[in-house]
Amino acid sequence: VPSHSRIITAVEIGTSKTAALMGELSVDNQSLNIIGFGLSPTRGVSKGVITDITLAGESTHAAIESAEKNAGCMSAEGVFLALTGGHVRGYANSGIVEIQSKEGTVSQSDIESVTNQSRMRPPPDEHAVIHFIQGPYILDGKPVDQPLRMRGRRLESTCWITYARTTQLAHSISMINDYGLRVCDIILSSLGSAQSVTTREERRHGVLVVDIGAGTTDYVLYRNGFVVSTGVIPVGGQHVTNDLSLALQITPQQAEALKLRCGRAVMQCKDRNERVWRLGERSIGDKEVPLMSIERVCAVRMEELFTILKQNLEAHLIPEAINVGVVLTGGASRMPGVEQLASSVLGLPARLGEHLSMPVNGDLQGGQYSTVLGVLQYGMLETASRLRTKRTSSIFHSVMKTLKLA
Ligand SMILES: Nc1ncnc2c1ncn2[C@@H]1O[C@H](COP(=O)(O)OP(=O)(O)O)[C@@H](O)[C@H]1O
Ligand SMILES: [Mg+2]
């Protein structure tokens, strides 16, 4: 590796798998080569929340170690970590200022003051801010790309503030630190997924990205290129598996296999008498069960998930402002019928996401890796801009201070 190249690593600790992806930033900081990939079944994590730090640490290390081996024994160095879990929340906050100058043109200090105001709302106790995601600047009621030196009376702006429980952040960071690696930044999982399955143009036209994982569903809504809302719903593919396991009295492993074989998000079977083997043909002690009941169990849970999503987004679900519709990713979005269900519940067109912005090999296709791929791209953009400006990310630094890790 030439001395001026930079190696960065993205890590997603999902509920079912932990993925680590290493990339090397090109000399001109413009592109990234994927050099290593590692995977490990996640342990000690429930619905995106760390419940056993020793087990979770072990499976995280296993994924990173396997990426390092895959990269020809290079060190993972700086880690960009994806964040999910029911404790991750967000809200919008706005700022407003009267233009001060005599000429009535917007000055840098007006912009700073409205931006600061929009960031002013503190998170609840025991929580820390992860991202301040700046919304558009509105001058006298009209959105402007760059308010500086424009004429007007009132400048407004909104900020989408995401925050997470401090203890969970500390757990995630110390798991990486324990391995002798440094966390460069924490990135909301949904932002990572959106980065890899949508283009800037699509985000400008309005798009809702929904990543359905095993224990959580992470979403982000973009309108006019800006983040309007993000959220984490503690429901995913694992809940469908658990429902099947209870309903048919089979183990979760057997239920998982059955789900992959016959699960559907929208029922298709019309014949009550159509039966399938619970465990697969010719297994000892197997029984035949109605296909309809399997489909129903899956469809009910998946519909519940999209109904919660609809309730969360409420007033934001304006079809005219979300022209691209819903883009679905995450492993559990691969269940047949998910697009149809999403479209009918949310009232928007829906499609499955593909990885657009980075050429990836076959191993990384499929919705499971959207987050880690997108987080790696965030890492690249951040590292490149940091190298250009020689500045460090200020929010993350303050998070680390809060956690007493810096
Ligand atoms: N073809 C498929 N049909 C239905 N569910 C699937 C399919 N492939 C994967 N899944 C489900 O996707 C989930 C894992 O997705 P993933 O995005 O890797 O989750 P996480 O990031 O939370 O670990 C599991 O619940 C698994 O059952
Ligand atoms: Mg995931």
Side-chain angles (χ1 to χ4, degrees):
V1 184
S3 61
H4 38 262
S5 81
R6 298 290 195 290
I7 293 177
I8 56 174
T9 303
V11 174
E12 183 205 12
I13 305 171
T15 307
S16 70
K17 54 92 186 48
T18 298
L21 189 63
M22 291 170 64
E24 186 185 351
L25 205 60
S26 67
V27 179
D28 58 1
N29 293 334
Q30 296 296 315
S31 64
L32 190 80
N33 277 326
I34 292 178
I35 58 169
F37 176 60
L39 207 55
S40 166
T42 301
R43 291 182 303 149
V45 172
S46 164
K47 300 175 197 175
V49 172
I50 296 163
T51 53
D52 182 331
I53 194 167
T54 311
L55 287 181
E58 281 168 14
S59 55
T60 304
H61 295 174
I64 294 177
E65 210 162 55
S66 122
E68 289 180 323
K69 275 214 187 88
N70 185 235
C73 294
M74 276 207 266
S75 165
E77 296 180 23
V79 170
F80 289 83
L81 188 61
L83 182 72
T84 182
H87 63 103
V88 185
R89 282 157 209 256
Y91 44 62
N93 190 49
S94 27
I96 184 163
V97 296
E98 305 290 328
I99 303 309
Q100 298 300 329
S101 75
K102 283 199 287 292
E103 315 81 62
T105 57
V106 178
S107 68
Q108 193 59 42
S109 93
D110 294 324
I111 298 175
E112 276 165 25
S113 138
V114 79
T115 308
N116 288 338
Q117 257 190 48
S118 70
R119 296 180 170 202
M120 212 63 99
R121 191 170 150 193
D125 281 351
E126 293 171 27
H127 288 73
V129 171
I130 299 301
H131 299 290
F132 289 117
I133 309 173
Q134 200 62 47
Y137 291 101
I138 315 262
L139 190 57
D140 295 340
K142 296 202 178 55
V144 289
D145 289 334
Q146 169 56 273
L148 189 64
R149 299 175 51 215
M150 302 269 281
R151 267 168 204 286
R153 279 200 290 270
R154 255 159 54 129
L155 184 64
E156 296 166 65
S157 184
T158 19
C159 183
W160 180 258
I161 304 172
T162 59
Y163 59 92
R165 192 172 301 141
T166 351
T167 49
Q168 279 295 319
L169 290 170
H171 290 156
S172 317
I173 293 169
S174 56
M175 281 186 339
I176 305 287
N177 290 347
D178 286 350
Y179 195 53
L181 298 173
R182 186 174 52 93
V183 176
C184 297
D185 205 349
I186 286 183
I187 287 136
L188 211 59
S189 292
S190 54
L191 294 179
S193 301
Q195 181 70 27
S196 58
V197 298
T198 61
T199 60
R200 185 192 293 264
E201 195 64 9
E202 287 176 320
R203 297 191 287 270
R204 210 167 57 73
H205 287 298
V207 62
L208 170 63
V209 177
V210 183
D211 182 316
I212 316 175
T216 61
T217 294
D218 297 71
Y219 62 88
V220 51
L221 175 63
Y222 289 89
R223 265 176 18 200
N224 302 314
F226 294 98
V227 170
V228 178
S229 185
T230 61
V232 181
I233 302 169
V235 176
Q238 211 173 52
H239 296 75
V240 179
T241 303
N242 289 343
D243 291 348
L244 278 177
S245 140
L246 287 172
L248 303 176
Q249 299 182 311
I250 50 183
T251 67
Q253 289 74 17
Q254 293 166 338
E256 177 74 17
L258 182 64
K259 178 180 85 172
L260 298 183
R261 201 150 48 89
C262 319
R264 289 192 55 88
V266 174
M267 291 182 65
Q268 191 180 48
C269 175
K270 299 255 164 8
D271 178 2
R272 272 172 206 292
N273 298 315
E274 188 174 349
R275 288 169 175 268
V276 293
W277 293 98
R278 254 183 350 173
L279 312 180
E281 275 172 90
R282 299 199 180 91
S283 308
I284 296 167
D286 204 357
K287 274 204 305 204
E288 279 191 313
V289 283
L291 177 59
M292 225 181 204
S293 45
I294 297 171
E295 288 189 358
R296 183 173 298 114
V297 170
C298 298
V300 165
R301 183 58 95 160
M302 293 303 284
E303 184 167 350
E304 182 203 29
L305 171 61
F306 283 104
T307 308
I308 299 172
L309 181 58
K310 184 182 178 174
Q311 284 162 357
N312 284 4
L313 288 169
E314 265 184 319
H316 291 310
L317 281 180
I318 308 159
E320 304 81 68
I322 312 171
N323 292 293
V324 176
V326 189
V327 177
L328 297 150
T329 190
S333 70
R334 265 47 188 178
M335 178 179 278
V338 170
E339 302 106 293
Q340 193 191 335
L341 178 66
S343 180
S344 79
V345 176
L346 301 170
L348 296 167
R351 66 165 163 89
L352 292 182
E354 279 166 49
H355 301 139
L356 304 161
S357 33
M358 208 185 260
V360 294
N361 68 17
D363 297 346
L364 293 170
Q365 290 301 344
Q368 290 96 314
Y369 308 113
S370 302
T371 304
V372 80
L373 277 162
V375 168
L376 192 67
Q377 289 173 54
Y378 262 92
M380 174 187 91
L381 296 172
E382 219 179 281
T383 309
S385 92
R386 208 175 286 174
L387 292 174
R388 258 197 321 273
T389 62
K390 308 223 180 319
R391 259 198 334 195
T392 52
S393 148
S394 57
I395 300 184
F396 186 65
H397 199 70
S398 69
V399 170
M400 296 289 277
K401 273 194 186 141
T402 318
L403 301 179
K404 303 202 168 50
L405 292 170

